[in-house]
Amino acid sequence: MTVPSPDPPTADAATPRTHRAAIPLPARRTAVEVTATELRTRTESLLADGYRLALVAAHHDDPAAHGSLTARAAVRVVYLLVAGPPDSRIELHLHLDPDAPAVPSLAKLSFPAGRFEREMHD
């Protein structure tokens, strides 16, 4: 599908619109559940394949959204790694124990990881 782009300014207002901008295709997205012991190995492999760590974010998953009224909110950490072209993204999802949430550090693998880890700690 294409959408018309704005006409560049011209002296002749009768000039037809001929410029079209293509809508980019969505990036390829893959989500992978990992354990704390798998996280480092998977990340090392992706970094070696040309991916870069773009974001690390922690979430409290609402157990009510999954039908539980008694379970405590689980903590999920999502590591977003991106590469391109072609644009590709891989999310590594790490579920933590809500009573003792601990994240293995990836700061020695990726400088941004240290910053994201400090932000989550704060």
Side-chain angles (χ1 to χ4, degrees), residues 11-46:
D12 182 7
T15 303
R17 293 182 183 210
T18 57
H19 301 284
R20 300 230 181 243
I23 296 175
L25 296 174
R28 193 178 86 224
R29 176 183 174 263
T30 304
V32 179
E33 301 285 332
V34 296
T35 65
T37 55
E38 295 173 321
L39 178 64
R40 183 178 183 87
T41 305
R42 293 272 187 140
T43 304
E44 281 177 324
S45 177
L46 290 168

Side-chain angles (χ1 to χ4, degrees), residues 29-36 39 42-43 46 52-61 74-82 89-96 102-104 106 110 112-113 115-117 119-120:
R29 176 183 174 263
T30 304
V32 179
E33 301 285 332
V34 296
T35 65
L39 178 64
R42 293 272 187 140
T43 304
L46 290 168
R52 67 178 180 82
L53 185 64
L55 178 69
V56 180
H59 305 274
H60 289 276
D61 290 337
V75 178
R76 177 173 43 104
V77 181
V78 178
Y79 297 81
L80 174 63
L81 293 105
V82 297
R89 62 186 269 172
I90 295 181
E91 296 174 8
L92 301 178
H93 291 232
L94 175 64
H95 294 273
L96 305 178
V103 177
L106 300 179
S110 168
R115 300 229 180 216
F116 292 128
E117 291 167 5
E119 181 68 25
M120 284 189 300

Side-chain angles (χ1 to χ4, degrees), residues 96-102:
L96 305 178
D97 178 358
D99 294 324

Side-chain angles (χ1 to χ4, degrees), residues 62-70:
D62 182 10
H66 302 287
S68 175
L69 299 177
T70 58

